[in-house]
Amino acid sequence: MIRVQREDFDVGLEIANLTRCKTTIGGIVTFVGTVRDAGGADAIQSMTLEHYPGMTEDELTAIEVEANKRWKLEASLIVHRHGKLLPGERIVLVVTAAAHRAAAFAANEFLVDWLKTKAPFWKQEETPRGTRWVEAQDSDDQAAKRWAKG
Amino acid sequence: MRLLYFAWLKTKIGKTEETLDLPAGVATPAALVDWLKTRGPGFAEALKDRRTLRVAVNRRHVGWDFLLKPGDEVALFPPVTGG
């Protein structure tokens, strides 16, 4: 399942809803991405996430489908927020559940790496000196390439 | 076709979207960007370096040599930074 929303999410409630009655699950891995304020010269007051409605949902769905092809998952969930967020607020939730932990860990890392390089979101930071668009990190591209096939 | 601009492209170009006819002789996103650059200083500045841009057609990531058709939805944006 995937969801794109402005509102916050409750991690415990999301996991409970996702895994209810699925007794074949033996391990659940959860990733929560939050708004970071590095402080000092890089201090931010808030962050605004813009996205491409329609394509965002399509891309997240495609990424989730791919993860379920590569690993045997019992359940998976991606929730990504958009709009204005404050430091410390949750941005993204990725939950993977499998019979054994190895698949859940690997699929979770894959989902986060791929969504960071494929899902059409853009972060703008509001700072005391004005706004700035966050630049894509080469390290994120390298992380995503680890999962290339062949 | 429908053209969409996101993130700093939207700011530099000064609009989020527009509808126009696929210009004659423009068959790929690469050619489209070259044509758009001639439309004014905002476009020229925003689109000057294709390496800083990505393109989607009908909501899918594509390469610069993808073949465009009339009625396509083309989105131009910087590399994504979600997650």
Side-chain angles (χ1 to χ4, degrees), chain B residues 1 20-36 64-70:
Chain B
M1 73 167 118
L20 44 81
D21 291 328
L22 191 60
V26 171
T28 64
L32 178 66
V33 164
D34 286 341
W35 177 80
L36 286 169
W64 293 107
D65 56 355
F66 186 86
L67 276 182
L68 296 173
K69 315 180 293 300

Side-chain angles (χ1 to χ4, degrees), chain A residues 11-115:
Chain A
V11 177
L13 195 60
E14 297 289 352
I15 294 172
N17 288 338
L18 182 71
T19 60
R20 183 165 297 131
C21 302
K22 292 181 181 143
T23 52
T24 51
I25 293 172
I28 302 165
V29 173
T30 303
F31 173 82
V32 180
T34 56
V35 178
R36 176 179 54 242
D37 177 10
D42 293 323
I44 68 161
Q45 292 158 323
S46 59
M47 173 181 277
T48 302
L49 274 123
E50 180 180 338
H51 78 117
Y52 181 175
M55 181 170 171
T56 309
E57 290 82 354
D58 290 352
E59 279 295 317
L60 293 179
T61 301
I63 292 165
E64 190 188 34
V65 166
E66 181 65 26
N68 279 274
K69 274 188 205 159
R70 293 187 184 206
W71 292 277
K72 186 167 172 15
L73 301 177
E74 302 298 322
S76 55
L77 173 69
I78 304 171
V79 182
H80 206 303
R81 296 178 68 192
H82 63 95
K84 187 170 180 173
L85 303 173
L86 299 174
E89 279 199 77
R90 286 174 281 272
I91 305 172
V92 62
L93 170 68
V94 177
V95 183
T96 46
H100 302 283
R101 72 182 183 285
F105 273 120
N108 199 291
E109 208 171 1
F110 166 83
L111 284 169
V112 176
D113 285 346
W114 267 33
L115 86 82

Side-chain angles (χ1 to χ4, degrees), chain A residues 50 52 80 118-119 121-123, chain B residues 6 10 61 73 78 81 83:
Chain A
E50 180 180 338
Y52 181 175
H80 206 303
K118 292 176 189 288
F121 286 96
W122 299 275
K123 289 174 179 152
Chain B
F6 290 96
K10 173 185 68 178
H61 294 287
E73 178 174 297
T81 56

